[in-house]
DNA sequence: GCAGGATATCTTGTGGACCGATATATTGGG
DNA sequence: CCCAATATATCGGTCCACAAGATATCCTGC
């Protein structure tokens, strides 16, 4: 799973959101590190809907502007859970390696 | 950073390895989840060398077969450390969301 | 009243990256 | 002797992220 997809799913865990709302939520979630581009958002969103991880929710019109909401499906919830564990495992594996490497022995330039 | 790049760097943390050795080490590291394709390996490896995260090491000839070794640079070590922390943070953020969502309230089909 | 910025959706084109397939070469086993 | 495994490298297709642009409405300032 790509990082944009991962964050979009995460942003939809607690409640349905619309496009622009997702962009803002992802920025918050990632402490400003990930700023979803608008073109990325809709492309990824369409793909997630096609894969059944996300569903169209209600459409709202607020102040004349359309808001198209999306919600997480059960399958999307499962995928996100799996992917999260996967990434945590990857990070653990790398951390172990990086910590085991300490002996100041065959370093690149010491 | 892409997942293949992440695992290649991780496989090079403890000691220089050659192409096939990296493939095997990545499989071990990831508990068999990630099986690097040979086309992916050399493409990513070249890019990492170009970016200065990995360097060519010695060439060995063992039993008539060439073994071209690669090693992690200091910059590569730093990049991997950063990326690892980044992924751990992503996983933490998602885990928090997934755990906070429990109230059995507005679920998809309950 | 209108220009410009913010909100909001969606489309299109480009470049990059992964991966399957292919090519080449050597060693060892049946 | 041929095939599998080891080992390198290249090429083409396909998918994906992103920038840029199109469309439309509301709000603010002039």
């Amino acid at each position: 799973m790509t990082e944009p997809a991962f964050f979009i799913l995460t942003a939809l865990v607690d409640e349905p959101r619309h496009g622009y709302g997702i962009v803002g939520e992802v920025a918050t979630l990632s402490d400003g590190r990930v700023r979803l581009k608008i073109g990325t958002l809709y492309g990824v969103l369409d793909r997630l809907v096609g894969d059944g991880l996300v569903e169209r929710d209600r459409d709202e019109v607020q102040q004349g502007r359309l808001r198209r909401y999306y919600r997480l499906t059960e399958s999307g919830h499962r995928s996100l859970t799996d992917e999260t564990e996967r990434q945590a495992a990857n990070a653990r594996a790398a951390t172990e390696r990086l910590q085991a490497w300490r002996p100041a022995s065959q370093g690149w330039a010491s």
Side-chain angles (χ1 to χ4, degrees), chain A:
Chain A
M1 184 180 307
T2 62
E3 198 185 38
F6 174 78
F7 271 110
I8 290 175
L9 293 183
T10 305
L12 294 177
V13 166
D14 57 344
E15 58 181 7
R17 287 178 207 275
H18 63 104
Y20 248 61
I22 292 173
V23 173
E25 186 62 19
V26 166
T28 302
L29 269 173
S30 66
D31 258 325
R33 260 186 295 106
V34 179
R35 275 174 213 156
L36 233 45
K37 301 314 178 293
I38 213 63
T40 304
L41 174 74
Y42 290 107
V44 175
L45 216 38
D46 284 350
R47 188 157 34 88
L48 291 174
V49 169
D51 291 346
L53 307 187
V54 166
E55 279 174 351
R56 284 275 300 274
D57 199 82
R58 69 196 182 277
D59 279 6
E60 275 182 12
V61 177
Q62 286 208 346
Q63 296 170 322
R65 284 188 284 268
L66 175 66
R67 286 185 164 183
R68 178 152 289 166
Y69 284 77
Y70 295 87
R71 83 175 91 91
L72 204 59
T73 64
E74 191 172 357
S75 167
H77 192 271
R78 242 181 292 119
S79 286
L80 179 59
T81 304
D82 290 353
E83 181 65 16
T84 300
E85 174 48 41
R86 203 178 125 82
Q87 285 195 25
N90 289 0
R92 269 196 304 274
T95 301
E96 274 173 38
R97 277 298 166 103
L98 288 165
Q99 286 179 344
W101 186 95
R102 269 292 167 269
S105 47
Q106 76 281 46
W108 344 265
S110 68

